[in-house]
Amino acid sequence: INPADWEPVPKEEARRAIGLPLDREIILFGAGSGLKDFHKGGDLFLDSLRQLSQQKKEKPPPLAAIFGQEGDGFDLGPAEVSFLGRLDDNELRLAYSSADVMVVPSRIDNFPSTAVEAQTTGGPVIAFRTGGLPDIIEDGITGVLVDPFNTARLAEVIVRVSGDISLNRSMRAKARER
């Protein structure tokens, strides 16, 4: 991946360009077939969203933006789900730039490009410690690795990394630098 092709776009600009709200936390997930690919862990992602801590009443719930799949969005309780459809590389760059975190809950994956692309745009990646993900993510530095298939822990880490501005900013800088 050429880092010049995945230069980060300012978050507000990226969100406006792909129609995402400016005032919501964005949790990104994506795969070639969206939630439908068993190996990519879309069902595990949804399970983790169901376990997110309730946000303060005055704060809108986070938006889980999913690329690779068309469909009507839905409410999961602690989060809302929206589908971005299939995206070209420029749209992917905007999606990664707009997200507070990228989640890669793969069951089986050699070297997922979504994790590399997200980090190249300066996004922290939260993933299970499976396949090639430990080779991509510097645990605690550019993102967080969670024990495989522990969706409760995945939810805790999503809340922590997306909600801690200082930690998020540090991970963004380190991910892009790497």
Side-chain angles (χ1 to χ4, degrees):
I1 290 178
N2 181 349
D5 293 339
W6 295 91
E7 187 72 31
V9 176
K11 188 182 287 188
E12 285 188 10
E13 181 183 329
R15 288 184 178 192
R16 280 190 183 95
I18 59 173
L20 290 173
L22 302 178
D23 63 342
R24 306 269 298 271
E25 183 178 305
I26 304 292
I27 302 166
L28 190 64
F29 169 84
S33 58
L35 295 170
K36 300 172 187 175
D37 186 336
F38 178 79
H39 298 299
K40 299 294 185 178
D43 59 320
L44 299 171
F45 176 65
L46 292 179
D47 191 45
S48 70
L49 292 178
R50 288 183 191 96
Q51 299 179 59
L52 291 177
S53 301
Q54 290 293 339
Q55 303 295 319
K56 295 178 183 175
K57 295 285 185 209
E58 65 272 6
K59 188 176 178 183
L63 180 70
I66 299 169
F67 62 83
Q69 181 177 345
E70 302 283 339
D72 295 327
F74 56 93
D75 188 350
L76 264 179
E80 291 179 24
V81 175
S82 176
F83 294 99
L84 302 176
R86 294 194 176 278
L87 304 178
D88 63 27
D89 282 353
N90 185 56
E91 293 166 324
L92 279 172
R93 183 173 69 103
L94 293 169
Y96 294 131
S97 295
S98 71
D100 293 291
V101 294
M102 173 71 188
V103 181
V104 184
S106 296
R107 284 183 170 88
I108 301 169
D109 219 332
N110 290 335
F111 199 78
S113 59
T114 56
V116 178
E117 292 164 355
Q119 286 195 59
T120 305
T121 61
V125 176
I126 300 167
F128 290 131
R129 190 183 312 277
T130 59
L133 287 158
D135 294 327
I136 299 169
I137 299 164
E138 286 184 85
D139 192 21
I141 308 294
T142 66
V144 178
L145 293 167
V146 176
D147 287 337
F149 323 128
N150 184 341
T151 57
R153 180 70 179 133
L154 190 67
E156 290 172 14
V157 173
I158 290 169
V159 169
R160 182 169 54 94
V161 174
S162 62
D164 184 331
I165 294 168
S166 176
L167 176 63
N168 193 282
R169 187 175 293 133
S170 172
M171 287 184 171
R172 286 181 174 287
K174 295 293 185 183
R176 179 66 184 167
E177 180 183 305
R178 183 168 191 242

